[in-house]
Amino acid sequence: MLQVGRDDALNPAFVAEVAGIIRTMGHPDRLRIVELLRGQELRVGEVQAAVGLSQAATSQHLRQMYHQGILSSRRDGRSVLYTVDSPLIGKMLTCLTETQREMMEEA
């Protein structure tokens, strides 16, 4: 039953921001990349080697997540290091990990 005027209703601006993040994260390779970058900084080449994508594909994924505010980057000489910059991503990954564990226990 729909409850109108609930105090815990999501703010429309927050919903719009989260929807953009969810759209961006809808690609399996991007999920693998943020899981890899969670809690650490890595260079593009290190991300590429770990996920097994081409340099162009890896760079494109990193760039899209950076522009969405999911990742942050910094220069280190000639290299660019990336890390997860969105607290929402950490919560999403935790939720996915817990759900996967529960589903595997039920199987």
Side-chain angles (χ1 to χ4, degrees), residues 23-93:
R23 270 191 305 277
T24 301
M25 293 309 304
H27 194 289
D29 290 333
R30 291 187 194 135
L31 285 170
R32 291 173 45 222
I33 290 169
V34 294
E35 184 179 25
L36 176 68
L37 291 173
R38 185 180 185 188
Q40 66 178 342
E41 284 184 319
L42 292 175
R43 290 170 174 76
V44 176
E46 294 169 322
V47 174
Q48 175 190 352
V51 296
L53 298 173
S54 69
Q55 190 275 332
T58 302
S59 293
Q60 181 180 12
H61 287 310
L62 292 169
R63 186 171 39 260
Q64 287 177 326
M65 290 187 288
Y66 172 81
H67 287 299
Q68 186 62 47
I70 295 167
L71 302 179
S72 62
S73 67
R74 71 176 181 88
R75 281 220 169 266
D76 182 29
R78 293 175 46 196
S79 299
V80 178
L81 291 102
Y82 287 90
T83 192
V84 173
D85 193 37
S86 170
L88 178 62
I89 295 300
K91 290 179 184 254
M92 287 174 65
L93 289 173

